[in-house]
Structure formats: C-alpha cells, structure tokens
C-alpha cells in the first residue's frame, strides 16, 4: 500500500450546494490538484480522494478490470466509500456473479442501483427494446438518470476509466468538476495502461469478469456488447454498427466537464 499523498497546502474551497454552479476558485483548485496528481500512483490518488471527500465519496463500477482493481484498494485506502453499480437490467450473469466474488474477497458491498422501470415495463412503454432503435435514450434512462439520483448527498465520485482506452477518454483529467452530476470526479487510473492494470490484477489475484478471457475486451449490457479484437480500441465491441462508443457517463462536454 502506498502512503497517502499529502494534501495540498492550499485550503479546499467550499463545494457548491446542490444545484449550484461551482465557484471559479473551486475549479482552479481542482485543476491545480489534478495537475499535482499527474505523478501520483493510483493508490495515492484513491487515498487522497478519501482524505478530501469522505464520507461523501462514492465510486461507480461496471466491474470492468479497472473497477475491480480499484475495489481491491478500498478496504485499506478508502474504507468508507459508497460503491454502486448501475444495474440496467441487461447485464451479463457473469457480471452479476462478479459482484459476489468481490464481496467475498474484500468485504466490499456494491449496491445495485436500478431504474424506476423494470426491463419488461420499460420495453412495454417503448413498444420493444429501445436499445435497438435509440441506444442513446436507453443509456440515458437506465444509466444517466440513475446516477443523477445516486449523486444526491454525495460530494465526489471515482471512476476507473483510463485515457488510453479510447479517443473519447484521452483528455480525462484526474480531478475535475462533473457538471451533469454536480460532483467532483476523480479518475485514479487515468494514467494507467491496459498492461499495468492486468499485470497487477494477475499478480494480486483480483477477481475479474471471465468474459474477458472469452474475447470481450469491454463488458457492458449484453445486447450492446460483442466479442472484439481489443488490441486497438478497447471499446470496439460496444454498440457495433452504430455511431456510438460511450453510454454518456464519461464523455466530455465543451467546457471539459465529464458526464
């Protein structure tokens, strides 16, 4: 376990109240901290996030390799972190089983947050599976809206995205204000590589989704996930045949805020 990165000597500006815009002082501080953390290890960044934002710190995970690695760090570095999964109703059984394997090994319980409508109710409302005709709306209703509810009462959230996963994620700051969810967003693995993540997973025997061994470089909802090479764009197996590579949680808006 790495030692915690010392906090900035500058006092942390006040976070905005729910629904309010962040101050220029806060945005500048987050940018400075993000730059300072560029040379930090993932362990140090997770510990820093806990120092700064607990008990309001949360983590979202889809149980990808990066998320599983971060979950393995929480018991020692950020034990009070609230962890959630956006359970769309379309996840692979292997993904759901992985939640139990993580809990058994690390004692980390991941809450499965579900949309207001069940899959049958949702498909009945739209005259069938919406992921076939309007996947953007499906992701918005069954992921974005759910995270907006989960953000209430939180101060910051961590994600496991890496910059080298896709062009869309290449500019992800380590720390930034997430405008859509009204939280500070922290990406401890932004500077990590696929090789470094998998080396550590195998060395430390971190549980991971067996679908990766079957040719799935990235695992999301089963209707929108296929096997793919994964040597180039790791998102290649997602939404095949559509002009879409992201669900919308991690795309960057014009002002640089992650959603």
């Amino acid at each position: 376990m790495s030692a915690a990165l010392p906090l900035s000597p500058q006092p942390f500006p006040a976070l905005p109240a729910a629904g309010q815009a962040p101050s220029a002082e806060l945005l500048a501080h987050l940018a400075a901290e993000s730059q300072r953390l560029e040379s930090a290890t993932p362990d140090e960044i997770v510990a820093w996030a806990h120092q700064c934002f607990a008990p309001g710190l949360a983590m979202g995970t889809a149980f990808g390799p990066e998320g599983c690695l971060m979950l393995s760090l929480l018991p020692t570095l950020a034990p009070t972190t609230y962890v959630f999964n956006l359970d769309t109703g379309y996840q692979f059984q292997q993904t759901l089983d992985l939640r139990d394997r993580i809990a058994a090994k690390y004692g980390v319980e991941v809450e499965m947050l579900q949309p207001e409508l069940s899959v049958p109710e949702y498909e009945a409302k739209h005259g069938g599976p919406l992921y076939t005709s309007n996947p953007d709306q499906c992701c918005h209703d069954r992921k974005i809206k759910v995270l907006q509810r989960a953000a209430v009462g939180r101060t910051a959230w961590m994600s496991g995205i890496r910059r080298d996963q896709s062009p869309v994620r290449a500019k992800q700051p380590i720390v930034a204000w997430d405008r859509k969810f009204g939280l500070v967003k922290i990406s401890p693995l932004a500077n990590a590589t696929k090789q470094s993540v998998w080396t550590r997973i195998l060395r430390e025997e971190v549980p991971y989704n067996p679908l990766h061994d079957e040719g799935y470089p990235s695992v999301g909802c089963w209707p929108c996930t296929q096997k793919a090479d994964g040597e180039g764009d790791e998102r290649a197996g997602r939404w095949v045949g559509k002009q879409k590579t992201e669900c919308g949680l991690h795309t960057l808006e014009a002002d640089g805020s992650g959603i």
Side-chain angles (χ1 to χ4, degrees):
M1 181 182 71
S2 298
L5 190 75
L7 294 175
S8 169
Q10 301 299 321
F12 216 103
L15 297 176
Q20 300 298 310
S23 65
E25 181 186 14
L26 175 61
L27 294 178
H29 185 86
L30 294 177
E33 287 295 270
S34 186
Q35 185 60 41
R36 190 172 72 95
L37 292 167
E38 284 289 337
S39 59
T41 67
D43 300 62
E44 289 172 334
I45 297 171
V46 170
W48 172 89
H50 186 259
Q51 285 180 296
C52 290
F53 301 108
L57 179 64
M59 174 186 160
T61 182
F63 298 104
E66 295 76 17
C68 292
L69 178 57
M70 286 179 57
L71 288 170
S72 75
L73 304 178
L74 296 186
T76 53
L77 298 177
T80 63
T81 303
Y82 165 69
V83 189
F84 63 88
N85 168 268
L86 302 176
D87 186 8
T88 62
Y90 293 114
Q91 296 191 95
F92 287 91
Q93 185 60 47
Q94 291 90 331
T95 303
L96 300 177
D97 293 342
L98 181 55
R99 173 187 181 271
D100 297 331
R101 292 165 58 205
I102 291 288
K105 181 160 186 175
Y106 302 111
V108 176
E109 295 290 340
V110 179
E111 184 170 2
M112 309 299 278
L113 300 181
Q114 300 172 337
E116 293 180 354
L117 298 180
S118 68
V119 166
E121 291 170 336
Y122 188 70
E123 293 186 356
K125 176 181 178 180
H126 293 286
L130 199 59
Y131 56 77
T132 60
S133 59
N134 192 348
D136 285 336
Q137 187 63 47
C138 187
C139 288
H140 181 79
D141 292 341
R142 305 195 74 77
K143 286 189 175 182
I144 304 297
K145 286 185 176 180
V146 180
L147 181 47
Q148 287 173 332
R149 294 202 311 268
V152 176
R154 307 291 169 184
T155 54
W157 75 293
M158 296 190 291
S159 80
I161 63 174
R162 303 187 338 259
R163 290 173 181 158
D164 67 348
Q165 285 175 315
S166 70
V168 170
R169 301 182 178 193
K171 296 182 180 180
Q172 179 66 48
I174 292 177
V175 183
W177 179 254
D178 193 327
R179 188 174 68 180
K180 175 161 285 190
F181 301 116
L183 300 171
V184 175
K185 182 178 180 181
I186 304 140
S187 301
L189 295 173
N191 273 332
T193 64
K194 177 181 178 180
Q195 180 177 356
S196 69
V197 168
W198 276 105
T199 295
R200 189 165 179 182
I201 284 175
L202 297 176
R203 183 179 69 239
E204 300 179 11
E205 299 183 341
V206 176
Y208 65 88
N209 198 319
L211 290 173
H212 296 304
D213 294 331
E214 299 177 20
Y216 292 85
S218 175
V219 178
C221 296
W222 64 260
C224 303
T225 303
Q226 296 183 21
K227 296 181 181 181
D229 183 348
E231 292 303 318
D233 186 347
E234 291 179 53
R235 309 286 292 175
R238 306 288 289 277
W239 302 285
V240 175
K242 296 181 171 62
Q243 297 298 312
K244 178 179 175 67
T245 59
E246 296 279 349
C247 64
L249 293 173
H250 304 299
T251 50
L252 298 178
E253 297 181 334
D255 65 353
S257 63
I259 65 171

